[in-house]
C-alpha cells in the first residue's frame, strides 16, 4: 500500500490540475476544532494540518448580552475578532470554569467561578497561542463540499473564500446580499484541495431561525428586528419598548440585561410558548467572594486541589444524570423531589401572577434546563412582562398578541392568564426562537463511496425524512435519521470523523468534556494514518447499525423520550439523534479503548511489517517463557529465579526488536 505524504505541499506545480495537499483538515474553528488542533500538536508533535472556518474569527458562534456557554452547546464567540467585540459581550458560563476549560490547558486565575465571555474568549485565544496553532486557522473560508476519491484514497474539498465578515451572516442573509449586490459582495473565489483525513467540527446550531411565516406585518414594522444569535451592537435600546420572542437559554440570559445599563430599555415583553424547568445556578465553594479571594492561591500551592474540584463537579453531574434522567423508580422519585423543590423556589422568587405559566406540565430533564443567574429575579422589575399569548401580527410601532393563549391549555380554566387580544408597543423585536437544524453537518455536503451523501445514507436507513410539524419553544427543526457509530463515523465515509456528531450531546455535563472525549477517540485513528502505518479506516456497516439500534433502544427508557414534553431532541416517530443515553463514564471508557473489530483497517506496507514484527515478538516471548520455565523446573529453581530470568529475557527481546524496527522500517 502507498504511504500518504505527511507534509503540506502542492501537487502538479503550476498545471491546470494543481492542488494543495493537507495530511489533515479540520472543518470548524470552534472549541472542538481548537481542541483537535492542540491535541495533534501536543500528543503527536504534528503541525501539518489546517483548520478552515467561514467566520471572521475562531471560537464558535454566539455574541449576545448575558448569553452563556451552557451545558449542551458552546456559546462563545470569536477568538480572533475578540478585540472588536469584547467590550460589548456580556456572556457568562453556566458550567463552573474549573470544568469548562480544557483538561490539558487548565487556567485558574479567572475573575469568577462563572467567568464572563471576554475571559472565555481570551482563554481560547491563549490556548491557540500556547500550542502554536493560530497560524493553522484559516478564516473567512467556507468548506462547501467534501468528496471521497476512491482511486486516490483521498478527500477532495471545495473551499469558498468569502469577503471578510460575510461568513458571520446567516445563509439567508448572505443570499440576500448576493441578490442585492451581486456575488462579488460575498464570494471571492473557489479552490479545490485534497486531504488524507477530514475531521468535521462544524457543530449543529448554525443557522438562526427566521421570522415565522404565519405572522403578518413584518415589512411594515419601523423598528429593528434581529435574531439574538446575530446581535446588533449598534442598536440603541435606551427608552425603547422591546419584544422578545422565546424563553430558551439565550433569551433567559439576555433579557435581564436589557433592563440594566448600558441598555436601559423602557419595557421588555417576553413571549413564551411553554415554561422551561429553571434551576438556580450553584454557588462556588465558600461563596463568590471567598472563592475568588483564596482559590488562585490554593490552586497554585496545592496542584492536586484543582483536579480534585474538577472531578467533584464531574462526579456530581454524573450523579445528577443517574438521579433524574432514567425511568427507574429511583430516578422518578428523584425527579419528583427536585421538581417540588424547584417549584417552591420559583414561587418564592417570581411574582404570583407568573406562578401558573411558569409551572411546567412535563418531567424535569425532558427539555433543556435553564441554569438561572438572574432571569427569575428580573421578573420583579416593573419594566418586565411575561405572556403566553401568541404573537398574531405586527404593526409599524407595535405588535398584537392574542386572542387566546398557548399555555396553559386554552380549554382549561385559569384565574391569572387571560386570552384577550391586545396591542403592545414595540420599537425593537428580538428573535430568541432557536435555530434551523435541517441535518447534521449542514450546510456541508459530504460525498462518500459511490458518490452517496451522508444524508442519502441516513434517509435509506431511517426511512423518509420527516420535519417536526411543531413550533417548539426552542423552535429547532431536526432531521430524524441522523446517526453515526460512536457519534463519530459512518460506514462508506473512510478517514472522515465527526466531532460532536449524532447522539453525543449531554443534558447534564460540560460540552468541553464531551468534545475532548471525541477528540481523543478520533486521535486513536488519526495517529496511525499520519504516521504512515494505516491507509484507510472505515467503520463496518453492521457495527454502525448495531450501535445506532442500541442507542435508540436505550433512549426509550429515559425522560427525554417519556417525560411528556415536545422537544427538538426527537421527532414524532421517536427517533432521537441528539443525546447520549449513557453516562460520560461510559463514553470516556469507550473513547479510551476503541473496539477495533468494528473497523475495517487497511494497513500500508510499513503497518503490515510492524504488525508482523509485533506478533513475532509476542510469539517469541511466549516461546521463550515456556522454554525458560521448563529449564528452571528441571533445575529445581524457585519462582523468584524464574521471574528474574523472564525479565532479563524479555528486555533482551524488546531491545533486539526495537533495534530491528529502527534499522528496517
Amino acid at each position: 500500500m502507498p504511504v500518504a505524504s505527511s507534509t503540506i505541499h502542492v501537487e502538479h506545480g503550476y498545471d491546470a490540475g494543481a492542488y494543495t495537499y493537507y495530511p489533515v483538515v479540520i472543518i470548524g474553528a470552534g472549541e472542538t476544532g481548537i481542541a483537535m488542533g492542540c491535541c495533534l500538536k501536543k500528543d503527536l508533535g504534528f503541525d501539518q494540518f489546517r483548520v478552515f472556518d467561514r467566520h471572521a474569527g475562531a471560537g464558535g458562534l454566539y455574541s449576545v448580552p448575558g448569553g452563556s456557554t451552557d451545558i449542551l452547546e458552546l456559546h462563545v464567540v470569536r477568538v480572533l475578532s475578540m478585540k472588536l467585540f469584547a467590550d460589548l459581550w456580556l456572556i457568562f458560563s453556566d458550567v463552573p470554569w474549573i470544568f469548562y476549560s480544557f483538561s490539558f490547558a487548565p487556567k485558574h486565575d479567572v475573575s469568577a467561578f462563572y467567568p464572563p465571555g471576554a475571559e472565555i474568549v481570551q482563554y481560547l485565544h491563549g490556548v491557540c497561542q500556547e500550542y502554536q496553532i493560530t497560524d493553522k486557522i484559516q478564516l473567512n473560508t467556507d468548506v462547501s463540499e467534501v468528496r471521497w476519491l476512491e482511486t486516490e484514497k483521498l478527500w477532495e474539498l471545495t473551499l469558498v473564500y468569502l469577503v471578510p465578515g460575510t461568513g458571520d451572516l446567516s445563509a439567508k442573509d448572505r443570499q440576500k446580499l448576493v441578490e442585492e449586490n451581486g456575488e462579488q459582495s460575498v464570494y471571492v473565489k473557489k479552490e479545490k484541495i485534497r486531504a488524507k483525513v477530514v475531521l468535521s467540527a462544524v457543530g449543529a446550531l448554525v443557522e438562526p431561525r427566521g421570522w415565522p411565516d404565519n405572522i403578518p406585518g413584518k415589512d411594515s414594522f419601523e423598528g429593528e428586528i434581529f435574531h439574538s444569535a446575530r446581535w446588533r451592537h449598534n442598536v440603541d435600546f435606551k427608552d425603547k419598548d422591546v419584544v422578545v420572542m422565546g424563553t430558551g437559554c439565550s433569551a433567559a440570559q439576555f433579557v435581564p440585561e436589557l433592563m440594566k445599563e448600558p441598555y436601559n430599555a423602557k419595557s421588555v415583553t417576553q413571549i413564551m410558548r411553554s415554561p422551561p424547568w429553571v434551576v438556580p445556578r450553584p454557588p462556588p465553594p465558600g461563596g463568590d467572594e471567598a472563592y475568588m479571594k483564596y482559590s488562585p492561591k490554593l490552586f497554585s500551592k496545592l496542584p492536586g486541589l484543582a483536579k480534585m474540584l474538577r472531578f467533584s463537579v464531574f462526579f456530581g453531574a454524573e450523579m445528577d444524570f443517574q438521579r433524574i434522567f432514567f425511568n427507574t423508580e429511583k430516578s422518578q422519585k428523584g425527579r419528583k423531589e427536585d421538581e417540588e423543590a424547584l417549584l417552591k423556589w420559583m414561587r418564592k422568587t417570581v411574582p404570583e401572577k407568573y406562578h401558573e405559566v411558569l409551572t411546567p406540565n412535563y418531567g424535569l430533564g425532558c427539555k433543556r434546563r435553564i441554569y438561572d443567574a438572574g432571569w427569575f429575579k428580573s421578573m420583579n422589575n416593573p419594566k418586565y412582562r411575561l405572556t403566553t399569548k401568541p404573537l398574531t401580527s405586527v404593526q409599524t410601532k407595535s405588535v398584537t398578541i392574542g386572542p387566546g393563549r398557548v399555555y396553559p391549555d386554552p380549554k382549561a380554566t385559569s384565574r391569572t392568564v387571560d386570552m384577550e387580544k391586545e396591542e403592545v408597543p414595540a420599537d425593537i423585536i428580538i428573535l430568541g426562537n432557536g435555530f434551523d437544524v435541517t441535518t447534521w453537518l449542514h450546510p456541508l455536503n459530504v460525498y462518500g463511496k459511490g458518490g452517496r451523501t451522508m444524508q442519502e445514507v441516513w434517509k435509506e436507513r431511517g426511512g423518509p425524512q420527516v420535519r417536526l410539524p411543531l413550533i417548539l419553544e426552542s423552535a429547532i427543526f431536526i432531521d430524524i435519521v441522523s446517526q453515526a457509530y460512536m457519534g463519530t463515523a459512518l460506514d462508506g465515509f473512510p478517514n472522515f470523523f465527526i466531532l460532536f456528531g449524532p447522539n453525543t450531546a449531554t443534558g447534564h455535563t460540560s460540552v468541553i468534556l464531551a468534545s475532548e472525549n471525541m477528540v481523543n477517540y478520533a486521535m486513536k485513528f488519526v495517529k496511525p494514518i499520519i504516521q504512515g502505518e494505516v491507509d484507510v479506516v472505515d467503520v463496518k456497516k453492521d457495527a454502525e447499525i448495531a450501535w445506532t439500534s442500541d442507542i435508540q433502544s436505550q433512549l426509550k427508557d429515559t425522560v427525554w423520550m417519556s417525560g411528556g414534553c415536545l422537544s427538538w431532541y426527537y421527532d414524532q416517530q421517536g427517533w432521537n439523534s441528539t443525546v447520549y443515553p449513557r453516562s460520560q463514564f461510559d463514553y470516556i471508557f469507550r473513547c479510551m479503548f476503541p473496539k477495533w473489530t468494528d473497523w475495517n483497517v487497511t494497513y500500508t506496507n510499513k503497518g503490515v511489517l510492524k504488525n508482523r514484527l509485533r506478533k513475532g515478538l509476542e510469539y517469541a516471548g511466549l516461546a521463550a517463557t515456556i522454554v525458560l520455565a521448563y529449564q528452571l523446573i528441571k533445575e529445581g529453581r524457585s519462582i523468584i529465579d524464574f521471574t528474574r530470568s523472564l525479565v532479563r529475557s524479555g528486555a533482551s527481546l524488546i531491545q533486539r526488536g526495537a533495534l530491528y524496527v529502527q534499522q528496517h522500517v
Side-chain angles (χ1 to χ4, degrees):
M1 292 290 177
V3 179
S5 174
S6 59
T7 60
I8 299 172
H9 63 274
V10 176
E11 287 280 355
H12 306 306
Y14 292 98
D15 294 349
Y19 63 86
T20 303
Y21 169 83
Y22 297 89
V24 177
V25 164
I26 302 168
I27 306 173
E31 165 269 322
T32 306
I34 290 172
M36 188 71 218
C38 290
C39 287
L40 286 170
K41 286 290 292 286
K42 75 181 182 68
D43 294 341
L44 303 181
F46 186 76
D47 64 356
Q48 297 297 293
F49 64 88
R50 189 70 80 242
V51 184
F52 296 104
D53 197 297
R54 68 180 174 87
H55 293 93
L61 288 176
Y62 295 70
S63 57
V64 300
S68 78
T69 51
D70 68 16
I71 284 178
L72 178 62
E73 57 200 59
L74 186 65
H75 287 199
V76 236
V77 256
R78 305 146 177 75
V79 171
L80 302 182
S81 54
M82 176 186 66
K83 189 173 182 181
L84 179 61
F85 295 108
D87 58 332
L88 300 171
W89 293 345
L90 295 170
I91 306 168
F92 288 84
S93 171
D94 282 339
V95 178
W97 175 250
I98 196 76
F99 198 35
Y100 212 86
S101 51
F102 295 127
S103 63
F104 58 83
K107 178 179 173 62
H108 307 309
D109 55 336
V110 291
S111 65
F113 195 58
Y114 302 95
E119 284 191 71
I120 296 173
V121 170
Q122 288 170 354
Y123 167 76
L124 289 174
H125 195 184
V127 171
C128 290
Q129 292 179 331
E130 179 183 353
Y131 288 92
Q132 299 180 355
I133 68 166
T134 303
D135 63 327
K136 306 300 177 186
I137 300 173
Q138 184 170 316
L139 303 171
N140 299 303
T141 307
D142 189 28
V143 180
S144 63
E145 180 181 294
V146 182
R147 187 178 294 271
W148 176 250
L149 305 177
E150 182 61 31
T151 303
E152 295 86 349
K153 299 292 188 291
L154 297 174
W155 286 101
E156 183 177 70
L157 296 84
T158 301
L159 306 181
V160 180
Y161 292 86
L162 305 174
V163 173
T166 56
D168 296 327
L169 303 174
S170 67
K172 296 174 184 176
D173 288 340
R174 288 199 302 275
Q175 183 58 37
K176 183 179 179 181
L177 197 58
V178 168
E179 293 172 357
E180 294 176 351
N181 303 310
E183 290 193 355
Q184 71 280 0
S185 63
V186 175
Y187 306 111
V188 177
K189 67 173 183 177
K190 288 186 178 181
E191 178 188 3
K192 289 187 183 295
I193 64 170
R194 294 185 182 182
K196 190 63 180 176
V197 177
V198 177
L199 301 115
S200 170
V202 299
L205 305 185
V206 178
E207 294 295 326
R209 187 170 185 246
W211 183 264
D213 295 331
N214 63 334
I215 301 176
K218 174 178 176 286
D219 293 337
S220 66
F221 187 65
E222 295 181 355
E224 297 281 352
I225 301 177
F226 60 88
H227 197 284
S228 64
R230 297 293 184 268
W231 196 269
R232 295 183 187 172
H233 296 290
N234 61 339
V235 173
D236 182 12
F237 286 82
K238 188 174 182 180
D239 297 327
K240 301 291 179 62
D241 294 306
V242 182
V243 173
V244 177
M245 296 172 59
T247 52
C249 291
S250 295
Q253 296 185 43
F254 70 72
V255 161
E257 305 300 321
L258 298 179
M259 295 174 280
K260 306 175 185 177
E261 289 281 357
Y263 298 95
N264 285 329
K266 179 181 179 181
S267 70
V268 176
T269 300
Q270 191 169 16
I271 299 173
M272 179 176 71
R273 297 194 61 84
S274 64
W277 280 103
V278 182
V279 181
R281 197 166 68 175
D288 290 306
E289 186 176 343
Y291 181 83
M292 295 318 304
K293 182 178 180 181
Y294 298 112
S295 63
K297 296 179 182 178
L298 290 173
F299 290 148
S300 63
K301 293 181 179 180
L302 301 171
L305 182 61
K307 291 184 178 180
M308 185 179 71
L309 180 57
R310 182 183 176 97
F311 179 79
S312 297
V313 176
F314 164 71
F315 188 77
E318 294 306 304
M319 293 300 99
D320 181 56
F321 176 72
Q322 298 293 335
R323 175 181 170 82
I324 68 173
F325 284 94
F326 293 99
N327 288 334
T328 62
E329 184 177 340
K330 182 179 179 180
S331 288
Q332 290 173 352
K333 180 181 178 182
R335 276 199 301 274
K336 185 177 180 181
E337 291 174 353
D338 287 357
E339 287 169 3
E340 291 175 353
L342 292 176
L343 289 176
K344 183 178 180 180
W345 171 70
M346 179 270 290
R347 292 173 186 133
K348 293 173 70 173
T349 309
V350 307
E352 185 178 356
K353 61 183 177 181
Y354 297 139
H355 288 182
E356 186 176 6
V357 296
L358 288 173
T359 301
N361 61 355
Y362 57 88
L364 175 66
C366 185
K367 289 185 183 181
R368 290 176 56 199
R369 295 168 291 176
I370 290 178
Y371 283 79
D372 185 25
W375 183 43
F376 270 6
K377 288 184 178 180
S378 74
M379 293 183 184
N380 293 283
N381 192 315
K383 296 180 178 181
Y384 179 84
R385 180 191 178 188
L386 178 66
T387 180
T388 58
K389 293 180 183 181
L391 179 64
T392 51
S393 66
V394 178
Q395 291 70 242
T396 57
K397 294 184 178 181
S398 65
V399 300
T400 300
I401 57 174
R405 66 169 181 252
V406 181
Y407 191 90
D409 189 339
K411 298 178 182 179
T413 302
S414 172
R415 63 182 180 83
T416 59
V417 187
D418 70 85
M419 296 191 292
E420 298 298 320
K421 177 180 178 180
E422 63 177 302
E423 190 170 337
V424 177
D427 299 305
I428 301 169
I429 301 176
I430 304 174
L431 304 180
N433 58 347
F435 295 77
D436 287 324
V437 179
T438 53
T439 58
W440 285 91
L441 303 182
H442 175 77
L444 176 64
N445 293 312
V446 183
Y447 296 86
K449 290 182 177 179
R452 301 173 71 203
T453 67
M454 279 195 173
Q455 287 75 18
E456 288 172 341
V457 175
W458 287 334
K459 183 176 181 178
E460 176 186 288
R461 294 182 188 176
Q465 291 184 336
V466 179
R467 302 285 180 80
L468 289 170
L470 306 166
I471 303 177
L472 305 179
E473 180 59 40
S474 57
I476 298 181
F477 293 77
I478 193 163
D479 190 308
I480 70 167
V481 296
S482 302
Q483 60 190 71
Y485 177 84
M486 287 286 290
T488 299
L490 188 64
D491 55 283
F493 297 82
N495 296 1
F496 187 95
F497 302 91
I498 308 170
L499 304 178
F500 218 89
N503 295 111
T504 54
T506 72
H508 68 285
T509 193
S510 169
V511 68
I512 302 291
L513 172 69
S515 293
E516 280 197 59
N517 287 336
M518 281 168 264
V519 166
N520 291 334
Y521 184 71
M523 287 284 289
K524 300 288 194 302
F525 301 91
V526 174
K527 179 180 178 179
I529 294 175
I530 64 178
Q531 290 182 340
E533 298 174 18
V534 169
D535 189 40
V536 173
V537 291
D538 191 10
V539 69
K540 295 177 181 177
K541 180 178 179 179
D542 291 346
E544 195 283 322
I545 292 175
W547 168 269
T548 298
S549 177
D550 184 49
I551 289 291
Q552 295 301 317
S553 176
Q554 291 195 30
L555 279 167
K556 291 179 181 178
D557 199 33
T558 65
V559 69
W560 292 306
M561 306 302 294
S562 59
C565 69
L566 299 177
S567 167
W568 62 273
Y569 291 156
Y570 63 93
D571 78 296
Q572 285 187 314
Q573 296 180 358
W575 187 279
N576 186 325
S577 61
T578 306
V579 288
Y580 187 68
R582 308 185 184 109
S583 73
Q584 281 300 296
F585 276 117
D586 175 270
Y587 198 70
I588 289 171
F589 183 83
R590 292 174 186 270
C591 289
M592 288 175 63
F593 305 102
K595 192 176 180 182
W596 289 97
T597 55
D598 285 347
W599 292 79
N600 292 313
V601 181
T602 304
Y603 289 95
T604 63
N605 292 333
K606 178 180 178 180
V608 170
L609 181 56
K610 275 200 169 184
N611 282 340
R612 288 175 178 173
L613 287 172
R614 190 179 298 113
K615 286 187 176 294
L617 287 172
E618 290 175 359
Y619 291 139
L622 178 61
T625 301
I626 294 173
V627 171
L628 183 61
Y630 176 74
Q631 290 178 343
L632 291 174
I633 291 172
K634 282 184 64 176
E635 297 173 7
R637 298 172 69 181
S638 68
I639 189 67
I640 296 176
D641 293 330
F642 172 74
T643 303
R644 288 173 178 169
S645 300
L646 186 61
V647 170
R648 284 196 296 268
S649 300
S652 177
L653 277 172
I654 291 173
Q655 187 176 11
R656 293 176 183 178
L659 181 62
Y660 182 86
V661 169
Q662 185 178 4
Q663 293 175 344
H664 296 86
V665 178

